[in-house]
């Protein structure tokens, strides 16, 4: 149970439901497989199946949730081919061209016929709630998938008062300054990948990968008005990742120090190993997030209601 990405949301008021209500809300929207005419289904599944069948896995002040999406696979090329064959048969039989509206109706009929025969595929998406800090951390780098997760959680619980973590200052300004001056604040170290974008409306993008010195490679671009909008970082010799100016964290890797701790906690028992991994991950993510927000100028809490 190690997240590879992190989209971080702030609860704008204290988490509005006790654990019992959360479990009840999720159970009422538990996953059920696609039926014949479904294109997809969403539902909650056990968050720690190696530990228990509970839909919410609690460890201390952290709650883990897992959403399952099952969808039918209907390639557009297959639908198009079937529609064209049927349209051709009708046109030849009736000696006329089908109108666009008729072809759209034909497409809907084809989809209805093919859906029950379609293959299924599924994916899981997990997130944890940090009750003490009032954060929701979703394991994805896709805003669309994160929206699906949070929308379904809101539907399940009736309310979900969250927003993306808001900062007092623009991250791109800090990233650019760190790279240009080759002075990333402790406990972070800049990696060898970054992305620059222009601010002149042309949406020019420059990506630097595997460059020994980012400062030498992009200093001129920064002086010409471009900004670093994504930067690879290492934190405290424990985590490496890429972070964007939208605070989306991608490609998280546990470095040797943490890998050793994970091995030390490996008892061979699946349930105990899961618990140890989740405990270490949430602890280190929490510390890293605190440090990252701090070096980026702090969080704007003006819209957050605190107890």
């Amino acid at each position: 149970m190690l997240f590879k990405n992190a989209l971080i949301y702030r609860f704008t008021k204290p988490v509005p439901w006790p654990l019992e209500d959360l479990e009840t809300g999720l159970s009422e929207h538990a996953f059920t497989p696609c039926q014949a005419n479904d294109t997809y289904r969403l539902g909650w599944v056990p968050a720690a199946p190696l530990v228990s069948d509970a839909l919410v896995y609690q460890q201390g002040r952290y709650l883990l949730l897992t959403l399952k999406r099952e969808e039918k696979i209907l390639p557009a090329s297959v639908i198009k081919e079937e529609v064209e064959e049927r349209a051709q048969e009708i046109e030849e039989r009736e000696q006329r061209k089908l109108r666009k509206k008729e072809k759209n109706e034909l497409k809907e009929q084809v989809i209805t016929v093919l859906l029950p025969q379609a293959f299924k595929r599924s994916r899981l998406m997990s997130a944890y709630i940090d009750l003490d800090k009032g954060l929701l951390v979703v394991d994805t780098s896709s805003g669309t998938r994160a929206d699906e997760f949070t929308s379904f959680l809101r539907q399940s619980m009736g309310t979900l008062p969250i927003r993306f973590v808001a900062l007092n200052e623009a991250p791109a300004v800090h990233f650019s300054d760190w790279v240009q001056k080759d002075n990333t604040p402790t406990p972070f170290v800049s990696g060898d990948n970054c992305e620059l974008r222009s601010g002149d409306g042309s949406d020019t993008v420059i990506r630097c990968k595997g460059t020994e010195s980012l400062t030498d490679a992009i200093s001129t671009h920064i002086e010409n008005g471009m900004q670093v909008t994504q930067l690879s970082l290492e934190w405290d010799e424990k985590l490496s990742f890429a972070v964007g100016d939208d605070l989306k964290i991608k490609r998280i890797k546990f470095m040797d120090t943490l890998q050793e701790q994970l091995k030390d906690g490996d008892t061979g028992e699946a349930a105990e190993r899961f618990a140890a991994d989740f405990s270490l991950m949430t602890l280190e993510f929490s510390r890293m997030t605190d440090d990252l927000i701090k070096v980026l100028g702090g969080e704007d809490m003006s819209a957050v209601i605190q107890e």
Side-chain angles (χ1 to χ4, degrees):
M1 175 38 61
L2 301 177
F3 284 18
K4 296 180 180 180
N5 307 282
L7 262 63
I8 308 169
Y9 295 85
R10 164 70 63 191
F11 279 88
T12 55
K13 58 179 67 174
V15 178
W17 0 266
L19 177 59
E20 296 78 10
D21 290 352
L22 179 59
E23 291 174 335
T24 299
L26 298 195
S27 65
E28 291 174 353
H29 294 79
F31 175 76
T32 56
C34 285
Q35 300 302 303
N37 293 319
D38 290 332
T39 55
Y40 74 95
R41 281 282 184 95
L42 295 172
W44 303 103
V45 294
L50 298 175
V51 179
S52 75
D53 293 331
L55 296 179
V56 181
Y57 173 68
Q58 180 178 21
Q59 189 179 92
R61 298 289 288 168
Y62 297 98
L63 307 176
L64 181 67
L65 322 173
T66 298
L67 181 67
K68 181 173 182 176
R69 177 189 175 96
E70 183 179 83
E71 58 189 348
K72 300 283 187 66
I73 304 173
L74 271 181
S77 58
V78 173
I79 297 172
K80 182 180 179 182
E81 182 177 349
E82 184 69 18
V83 169
E84 288 177 349
E85 287 181 3
R86 295 191 181 199
Q88 185 176 355
E89 289 177 4
I90 295 172
E91 289 175 346
E92 290 177 353
R93 184 173 65 247
E94 299 183 3
Q95 293 298 299
R96 68 181 181 88
K97 285 287 186 180
L98 291 183
R99 299 189 302 273
K100 182 177 181 181
K101 180 180 179 181
E102 291 177 302
K103 285 192 174 182
N104 288 338
E105 291 173 351
L106 196 57
K107 180 179 179 180
E108 291 176 4
Q109 294 171 14
V110 167
I111 291 174
T112 300
V113 171
L114 294 180
L115 268 177
Q117 310 167 41
F119 290 107
K120 301 175 184 177
R121 68 179 175 189
S122 61
R123 68 168 182 261
L124 302 177
M125 188 185 315
S126 295
Y128 70 82
I129 298 171
D130 183 334
L131 294 173
D132 285 338
K133 294 187 177 178
L135 297 175
L136 172 69
V137 181
V138 185
D139 182 10
T140 182
S141 61
S142 165
T144 300
R145 292 184 180 181
D147 286 345
E148 183 174 74
F149 185 100
T150 55
S151 295
F152 196 73
L153 181 55
R154 183 176 290 107
Q155 176 185 335
S156 301
M157 300 308 301
T159 182
L160 183 63
I162 59 172
R163 68 171 189 179
F164 283 117
V165 167
L167 300 175
N168 291 318
E169 301 168 3
V173 174
H174 288 279
F175 296 160
S176 301
D177 185 64
W178 299 348
V179 172
Q180 191 170 33
K181 297 179 180 178
D182 194 17
N183 185 28
T184 307
T186 306
F188 294 94
V189 176
S190 291
D192 56 3
N193 294 339
C194 78
E195 179 178 287
L196 297 96
R197 290 183 180 271
S198 62
D200 58 6
S202 64
D203 204 28
T204 302
V205 179
I206 296 176
R207 294 180 177 89
C208 299
K209 294 184 178 182
T211 306
E212 185 174 341
S213 173
L214 287 178
T215 301
D216 296 339
I218 69 175
S219 185
T220 301
H221 295 300
I222 295 175
E223 291 172 359
N224 290 334
M226 299 192 76
Q227 288 190 321
V228 178
T229 54
Q230 183 173 291
L231 182 64
S232 62
L233 293 171
E234 295 179 1
W235 171 76
D236 201 26
E237 299 183 344
K238 295 181 177 180
L239 295 172
S240 67
F241 54 89
V243 59
D245 59 350
D246 51 6
L247 212 59
K248 290 180 181 177
I249 300 173
K250 302 185 290 186
R251 301 190 294 276
I252 299 170
K253 293 183 180 179
F254 286 64
M255 300 176 70
D256 290 346
T257 301
L258 284 188
Q259 290 291 351
E260 288 301 320
Q261 292 183 49
L262 290 171
K263 290 178 182 178
D264 291 343
D266 187 354
T267 63
E269 296 293 333
E272 293 182 13
R273 185 167 64 251
F274 183 97
D277 288 356
F278 184 68
S279 176
L280 183 63
M281 181 188 75
T282 51
L283 172 64
E284 300 300 344
F285 272 24
S286 180
R287 293 180 55 225
M288 182 274 290
T289 301
D290 283 349
D291 286 344
L292 183 61
I293 291 173
K294 182 179 178 180
V295 298
L296 290 175
E299 185 176 356
D300 176 6
M301 300 287 285
S302 58
V304 179
I305 300 173
Q306 304 182 58
E307 291 181 319

